[in-house]
Amino acid sequence: MKQLLVFLMGVVLLASCSSKTPHARYDIIPLPAQLTEMEGEFRLKNGAPLYVSLQNKELKSIAELFAEQIHLASDIKLEIQDFPAEDIPKIGIIFQLENLPELGLEGYTLSVAEEKVLVQANAANGLFYAVQTLFQLLPPEIYSTKKESANWTIACVEITDTPRLPYRGMHLDVCRHIFSVEFIKKYIDLMAFHKLNRFHWHLTEDQGWRIEIKKYPLLQKVAAWRDGTWVGHYNDTIGYDNIRYGGYYTQEQIKEVIAYAASKYIEVIPEIEMPGHASAALAAYPQLGCIKDTVYKVVGTWGVFDDVFCTTDEVFTFLEDVLTEVIELFPSKYIHIGGDECPKVRWRKCPHCQTMLKKHKLKDEHELQSYFIQRIEKFVNAHGKKIIGWDEILEGGLAPNATVMSWRGEEGGIEAALQGHDVIMVPTSYLYFDYYQSDNKAEEPLAIGGFVPLDKVYSFDPVPVILPDDKQAHIIGVQANLWTEYIPNAAQAQYMVYPRASALSEIAWTANHRKNFTAFHNRLQSQFKRFDYLNVNYFKKNQ
Ligand code: ACM
Ligand code: ZN
């Protein structure tokens, strides 16, 4: 009798289930840590209550963001109401802070039943991510900027979610080509959509200095501009276009980007390159180079250049002044100080640099680079921040508190973790989104080279299995890089990034044992529809 009752209840539940295909009901990227599929749906209705504590401004604005997006894409207007003093309401949508210590700052639970949607998290970050998940449980039309008719329901589900890694980043080089603030805001929107939380803003280079530094006006007047840009691939003998190119972000614009990112729970990490990739700064202030009586140029082609910062006190004063303004502007815990691709030819011939070697009893120019980075690290640490550097900062000895960004493979990251340093994995062969994503290169826009298709990105496990258990926590995160030598505009930048960023989000967020490329690929079909509504120019060949 009892069995028959259970059977009949199952039939009733099944009958109330929607006719939507099962796979489209839960196409969430990145895949949540735990998801239990349920029968039935919660229907969004005009005037339905959305309860949230109105004293908490952050929560209130997350609720508003949710309601506004729904109202933008549909005729439905939710009614935001103060969270009642007594029990959790039985009907409606509820956003609530709750003590869920095992889920951390960014985790959340989401329970969708036919009458009630309950979201709980320790902090606003988690509630914000729950909203991203809710949007993905709605039809893709939710991302539209005009009213659509769609089946405005949320599939019933129980989700408990928390990210695998705390640092989930996207990088953008704005020096080889500069991108508008509007483009950067959209880049940030799409990061938030993927539950990514660190924006690494590469601001200085040989080809242009892009951050306003008030103490050094020639950075704006000279270092931000080049006379022309190389046409075609740098291996080809083509020549320059001779078109003046450049620009920079004012400190006001930078503040605007930082505040915008913060509203999406994204921290902006600035990169100020040293001692290499310094041609633009030297063009403005030639006394900072090893050859004092020469003219340096903001370069217009690509590669690694011999002219780097010298090691004089004047150079350190300049960099400390720059960092003082940078630290003032950026609230992030980290400042990226570059450290990659610094040729040593000038230092070998420079009387001052050779004197520095002897004075500080340094074995070679690698140790001089290490001295350079350690001296900068002391300054940055004294101002309450930590440095990140590319993996070359291992050469000649790692600065004591540095975090290493491992780009030339995983080896640098493994070495740094074994030495007890934090690491962010960004290896070229998996996470350089300036590399080709199709092997049919003739049909693709010109790129730097390489081949990093979607499944290759997806296959990356940021935590190397050879690392001993007690060192694994040093792998704090993973990031993809977008170098822009061959990416002159916004449309092409999006084309290179999406959907590879979707794969990145899943390797950063989702436990390795839950990953499955075929299942991800199925969910990606809904992601493409979302990208269409979001007006994203994504790569879709053979996907
Ligand atoms: C790098 O790609 N040079 C960090
Ligand atoms: Zn020198």
Side-chain angles (χ1 to χ4, degrees):
M1 183 61 197
K2 198 168 157 206
Q3 272 170 345
L4 181 66
L5 201 65
V6 170
F7 173 76
L8 283 175
M9 278 165 61
V11 170
V12 171
L13 273 174
L14 274 175
S16 71
C17 176
S18 100
S19 59
K20 280 171 80 181
T21 51
H23 98 265
R25 282 166 64 86
Y26 305 106
D27 286 351
I28 302 161
I29 293 178
L31 184 71
Q34 279 177 39
L35 182 151
T36 307
E37 301 187 5
M38 314 277 281
E39 303 295 341
E41 295 171 334
F42 178 94
R43 179 163 296 278
L44 287 181
K45 291 191 194 115
N46 209 21
L50 166 52
Y51 296 101
V52 69
S53 166
L54 295 179
Q55 297 99 284
N56 187 324
K57 285 208 171 63
E58 246 185 307
L59 297 201
K60 182 168 168 255
S61 76
I62 293 170
E64 283 165 358
L65 170 120
F66 182 62
E68 279 163 16
Q69 186 58 43
I70 289 169
H71 193 51
L72 193 63
S74 77
D75 287 322
I76 300 164
K77 198 160 186 188
L78 300 178
E79 236 176 68
I80 298 179
Q81 296 187 24
D82 202 7
F83 195 85
E86 46 310 338
D87 286 348
I88 299 178
K90 300 224 166 10
I91 290 178
I93 303 171
I94 300 133
F95 290 179
Q96 189 189 26
L97 289 187
E98 184 55 274
N99 191 24
L100 306 163
E102 70 285 5
L103 294 184
L105 188 71
E106 301 187 303
Y108 63 93
T109 61
L110 167 59
S111 166
V112 180
E114 289 186 358
E115 299 295 332
K116 182 165 98 175
V117 173
L118 176 62
V119 177
Q120 293 181 317
N122 288 304
N125 307 54
L127 287 182
F128 180 78
Y129 289 141
V131 165
Q132 304 313 310
T133 298
L134 278 169
F135 284 149
Q136 298 198 355
L137 289 167
L138 282 158
E141 286 86 348
I142 189 63
Y143 295 103
S144 179
T145 49
K146 62 180 178 43
K147 299 199 186 297
E148 307 278 346
S149 64
N151 182 21
W152 295 113
T153 58
I154 304 173
C156 294
V157 72
E158 292 287 341
I159 290 174
T160 301
D161 202 7
T162 188
R164 180 184 186 194
L165 295 168
Y167 181 117
R168 305 179 300 281
M170 277 296 310
H171 152 286
L172 181 66
D173 164 14
V174 294
C175 302
R176 276 57 178 262
H177 286 99
I178 188 165
F179 295 85
S180 68
V181 168
E182 182 197 12
F183 170 82
I184 292 173
K185 286 184 174 174
K186 184 139 184 182
Y187 201 72
I188 285 168
D189 287 342
L190 288 159
M191 285 180 62
F193 165 84
H194 285 104
K195 303 187 176 88
L196 298 170
N197 64 357
R198 299 285 188 276
F199 172 46
H200 171 177
W201 201 358
H202 184 81
L203 287 162
T204 74
E205 259 304 339
D206 297 300
Q207 295 84 359
W209 182 286
R210 304 269 177 253
I211 172 171
E212 179 190 21
I213 299 295
K214 294 191 193 275
K215 189 155 185 182
Y216 294 98
L218 296 184
L219 292 174
Q220 284 72 253
K221 228 175 136 180
V222 176
W225 303 93
R226 60 181 184 248
D227 292 341
T229 303
W230 191 255
V231 179
H233 199 272
Y234 76 101
N235 284 334
D236 300 333
T237 43
I238 294 178
Y240 294 93
D241 63 8
N242 296 319
I243 300 168
R244 184 172 149 87
Y245 183 93
Y248 62 91
Y249 304 98
T250 64
Q251 294 199 355
E252 282 313 304
Q253 287 175 314
I254 286 172
K255 284 185 203 156
E256 184 185 333
V257 168
I258 292 168
Y260 188 78
S263 78
K264 311 258 161 170
Y265 299 88
I266 291 169
E267 188 171 83
V268 185
I269 298 171
E271 180 179 356
I272 306 296
E273 270 271 18
M274 62 192 78
H277 290 288
S279 306
L282 300 187
Y285 297 100
Q287 65 272 32
L288 304 178
C290 285
I291 306 171
K292 311 295 175 201
D293 53 353
T294 192
V295 176
Y296 297 98
K297 280 188 67 133
V298 182
V299 300
T301 187
W302 322 122
V304 173
F305 299 89
D306 288 342
D307 289 306
V308 303
F309 285 118
C310 188
T311 56
T312 56
D313 284 347
E314 194 176 358
V315 166
F316 287 104
T317 301
F318 167 81
L319 289 171
E320 289 174 8
D321 287 344
V322 166
L323 289 171
T324 298
E325 292 193 30
V326 168
I327 287 166
E328 181 93 353
L329 270 174
F330 288 85
S332 67
K333 174 168 98 174
Y334 294 110
I335 305 290
H336 199 306
I337 50 76
D340 62 321
E341 299 177 323
C342 178
K344 307 297 187 295
V345 291
R346 294 287 182 263
W347 288 1
R348 276 190 204 110
K349 294 233 165 82
C350 169
H352 176 83
C353 289
Q354 289 305 311
T355 306
M356 288 292 277
L357 277 178
K358 293 196 189 77
K359 183 173 163 197
H360 295 283
K361 299 192 173 49
L362 306 169
K363 195 170 81 214
D364 57 17
E365 287 70 20
H366 292 299
E367 289 198 358
L368 183 57
Q369 160 140 340
S370 171
Y371 165 88
F372 194 116
I373 301 295
Q374 294 198 36
R375 189 160 159 179
I376 292 292
E377 181 185 62
K378 274 204 197 88
F379 179 83
V380 172
N381 287 171
H383 290 76
K385 307 278 187 180
K386 295 189 69 175
I387 66 163
I388 301 177
W390 300 108
D391 59 53
E392 285 93 331
I393 67 169
L394 279 150
E395 294 160 8
L398 207 44
N401 307 310
T403 294
V404 171
M405 202 166 252
S406 188
W407 71 281
R408 298 174 301 175
E410 295 160 78
E411 296 71 23
I414 293 168
E415 175 57 30
L418 290 173
Q419 290 185 29
H421 287 252
D422 284 349
V423 170
I424 299 148
M425 285 292 187
V426 299
T428 53
S429 50
Y430 295 93
L431 292 167
Y432 268 38
F433 289 178
D434 57 333
Y435 286 17
Y436 284 100
Q437 52 197 321
S438 156
D439 51 6
N440 190 352
K441 293 185 183 168
E443 282 193 1
E444 292 301 308
L446 181 68
I448 193 161
F451 180 42
V452 179
L454 186 69
D455 57 345
K456 183 90 192 274
V457 178
Y458 193 81
S459 71
F460 184 60
D461 179 357
V463 185
V465 285
I466 66 161
L467 263 189
D469 287 355
D470 67 329
K471 295 287 188 286
Q472 292 194 354
H474 282 303
I475 310 296
I476 60 167
V478 61
Q479 172 177 290
N481 291 347
L482 193 71
W483 302 103
T484 58
E485 289 92 334
Y486 300 96
I487 303 177
N489 58 53
Q492 199 174 325
Q494 289 189 341
Y495 179 83
M496 299 306 276
V497 171
Y498 313 105
R500 289 189 286 192
S502 303
L504 166 73
S505 77
E506 198 143 312
I507 65 181
W509 184 277
T510 307
N512 211 40
H513 71 270
R514 281 181 61 72
K515 280 168 53 191
N516 174 314
F517 185 71
T518 308
F520 167 75
H521 194 266
N522 287 341
R523 280 179 280 122
L524 201 57
Q525 306 315 306
S526 292
Q527 196 83 333
F528 290 155
K529 290 184 200 146
R530 295 172 188 137
F531 285 151
D532 288 335
Y533 283 106
L534 288 164
N535 232 342
V536 175
N537 181 40
Y538 58 98
F539 172 92
K540 59 194 121 178
K541 283 174 215 147
N542 314 316
Q543 314 258 24

